[in-house]
Amino acid sequence: MREVEHAAMSAAATNIEHHRKSFLIPTVTKQCWGFMIGSAFFALGSAPGLSESLGTAGANLLFFVGAWFFTTAGLIQLFLSGAIAVPVSYAPGRMVRAEWLAAATQSFGTLMFNVSTTAALYAKSISAQEHFVWNPDAGGSVAFLVSGVLAFIAYARVARLWDIGRAAWWSVLINFIGCVAFGVSAVGAYILPSGSAISGSLANSGTFIGAICFLLASLVVLPQWNRSKDRHARAGGGFSPVIQ
């Protein structure tokens, strides 16, 4: 009896250890959910009507939390992007991969958003808002724009620049629109000498549209859709809403 109990306890411990290790393994699913959850926080913090009800402090707190999900997802994406460079037949003999460069640039942008959203929680003076909130926010937005362009280059290298029949292409396009929206948001959030932003409505609208775009960009390539499609096909089903 004791041997059976010992075996059961050992199996349970092994199972717990397996789940613990699985939790730490970066996957595309975790990447997608990280971006989607982070986007949801940004969307809530900038949603028309709701952002006014939350107030500046409430919205900034949501942005702060969302930025950490963005950063986690960005690091996973960077880890999964593969080798930094590949050998080529021309000088200098190696070329940095667009996939890796896009992931690295976006990951850098998420770190900048961490800085800006953290500073926004306590920045009171105009100079603090400009140097610790707007500057890194603008830097992160520029990094996102660059990563959006690089994502198109990376996609065109393995498929086609115009490929509307694939969910991955739509993900790249929607992601780029979100990057542009975040850039517009940064312009609207520029701090004037008076301490107010150029356009609070433009800053909020850009953030909200960008967040929704980032959520959708990850949603359409969520691996769960492929698994559901495969199960449906094995069961004799036909049409799948997502083609990859």
Side-chain angles (χ1 to χ4, degrees):
M1 187 66 179
R2 289 181 179 178
E3 288 77 4
V4 174
E5 292 178 352
H6 179 71
M9 291 176 64
S10 299
T14 301
N15 192 42
I16 292 173
E17 184 65 21
H18 172 73
H19 284 296
R20 183 180 301 166
K21 291 181 179 179
S22 298
F23 177 77
L24 297 175
I25 295 175
T27 64
V28 175
T29 297
K30 292 173 184 175
Q31 171 193 314
C32 288
W33 276 108
F35 278 124
M36 287 192 294
I37 295 172
S39 298
F41 275 102
F42 270 77
L44 287 173
S46 58
L50 181 59
S51 58
E52 288 81 0
S53 300
L54 290 171
T56 302
N60 285 341
L61 181 59
L62 289 176
F63 295 151
F64 170 78
V65 175
W68 282 104
F69 281 98
F70 269 163
T71 299
T72 302
L75 290 174
I76 293 175
Q77 183 181 43
L78 180 60
F79 183 86
L80 296 175
S81 62
I84 297 177
V86 292
V88 293
S89 58
Y90 48 86
R94 293 186 69 81
M95 180 183 68
V96 177
R97 296 172 57 249
E99 294 91 339
W100 182 89
L101 197 55
T105 308
Q106 188 169 48
S107 185
F108 172 77
T110 63
L111 291 174
M112 290 296 97
F113 289 142
N114 274 133
V115 174
S116 64
T117 55
T118 301
L121 294 176
Y122 62 83
K124 303 299 179 183
S125 66
I126 295 176
S127 60
Q129 290 179 22
E130 180 179 357
H131 290 93
F132 301 113
V133 179
W134 189 82
N135 283 348
D137 178 61
S141 297
V142 171
F144 266 44
L145 275 172
V146 173
S147 73
V149 174
L150 289 171
F152 265 115
I153 295 174
Y155 188 87
R157 290 180 65 86
V158 297
R160 294 176 296 174
L161 185 60
W162 186 260
D163 198 11
I164 62 175
R166 294 174 65 89
W169 182 87
W170 283 103
S171 177
V172 171
L173 176 63
I174 296 170
N175 174 76
F176 179 75
I177 295 172
C179 293
V180 172
F182 263 36
V184 171
S185 172
V187 173
Y190 181 75
I191 306 298
L192 296 171
S194 62
S196 60
I198 286 181
S199 174
S201 60
L202 187 64
N204 270 353
S205 298
T207 301
F208 180 72
I209 293 172
I212 294 299
C213 286
F214 293 140
L215 192 154
L216 292 175
S218 291
L219 179 63
V220 298
V221 291
L222 190 67
Q224 179 62 38
W225 299 122
N226 277 341
R227 290 195 291 268
S228 298
K229 179 176 66 176
D230 292 341
R231 286 196 298 267
H232 188 57
R234 288 194 296 269
F239 175 74
S240 172
V242 177
I243 303 173
Q244 292 200 48

